[in-house]
Every structure is written in structure tokens, then in C-alpha cells.
Amino acid sequence: MDKQIPNKLFFKIGEVCEITDTQPYVLRYWESEFAAPAPAKNSSGQRIYRRRDIETVLRIKQLLYEEGFTIAGAKKRLEAEMSGRTTPQHTPGGSATPTPAPNASTPTPPGVRGDGDPAGRAVMAEVREQLREMLTLLNRDDKKL
């Protein structure tokens, strides 16, 4: 995700795939699942992406592949971020960063090995996702009051 987005107004799907390191079918699937990205189509029916669409694709990719969200969880998080309820954490370089991993002083829950056990990581990823979804619901309820 360190690849720079060129300074142009519109991008074809092949360019977006190269910038985001994804396949065209993945982009088309994400378009069907998420409200954004929503590329326009030109007169010949080709998808035309804007910089904002590419940034959204990169954020979706980060949520799914780096932070371990499911499609449903990523959809909720992205909707919350776009509506201003939550914002991604940013580094000085401007890229969003995932929640920091626990350090050595953080206790490991009983039954979960802290040595990189794949089963333990899967359990922790599921717990993390459920907590994020609860936080999203709580934030949504706070806005209604």
C-alpha cells in the first residue's frame, strides 16, 4: 500500500488494479458489496475511477487483509468512517494504520497461546472483530440520543 497514486483525474480499472495490487474481479465484487467505491462509466461502458475511489479501495483492502475484518465488519466500519462517526488512525505519512498489536505487558487470555499459534490468532481476530462491531453499534446509538 506504499504505492503512490498518480496525480490525474481519472483511472481505468487496470490502473487501479496496479496501484492497489488487486484483481479486476475483486474490485467489481467490492463495488457490489460496498457503497463506495462507485466508479462512473464512460461512453464505452468502462469503469472510470477517481482518486477518492482508489483511496477507498485501499482502505477496504486494509480492513479486510491487514486488520482481519469480514466483509460485513469492513462494510460497517467503512460506513462509520465515511459518515464521520469514526476516523481511521493516521500516521504522519497520511496512511491509515491498524490497531497496534498488544505488547509483552498485555496479558494473554487463558487458553490462547501468545507464541503466534494460528488458532490463537484466529480466536483473537474474531474477538477483535466482535468488539469493533459492538463499538460501532454503541457509537451509532450515542448519535441517536
Side-chain angles (χ1 to χ4, degrees), residues 138-145:
L138 289 171
N139 286 336
R140 185 179 303 149
D141 290 341
D142 286 346
K143 297 295 180 184
K144 290 180 183 177
L145 296 176

Side-chain angles (χ1 to χ4, degrees), residues 86-101:
T86 63
T87 56
Q89 297 174 356
H90 290 280
T91 61
S95 63
T97 58
T99 306

Side-chain angles (χ1 to χ4, degrees), residues 8 23 45 47 56 67 135:
K8 18 187 298 196
Q23 296 294 317
R47 288 171 169 78
T56 302
E67 296 185 31
L135 183 59

Side-chain angles (χ1 to χ4, degrees), residues 3 14-15 18-20 24 39 46 48 51 55 58 60-61 64 67 75 84 102 109 111 114-115 127 130 134-135 141:
K3 198 162 195 174
E15 295 170 309
E18 185 177 323
I19 293 167
T20 61
Q46 292 179 327
I48 302 296
R51 174 178 287 275
E55 291 168 351
L58 290 170
I60 292 169
K61 184 177 177 182
L64 295 174
E67 296 185 31
K75 197 182 303 187
D115 62 356
V127 169
Q130 291 174 1
M134 286 189 272
L135 183 59
D141 290 341

Side-chain angles (χ1 to χ4, degrees), residues 23-37:
Q23 296 294 317
Y25 70 90
V26 173
L27 292 178
R28 290 190 295 268
Y29 176 71
W30 288 350
E31 288 170 25
S32 71
E33 290 293 321
F34 294 88

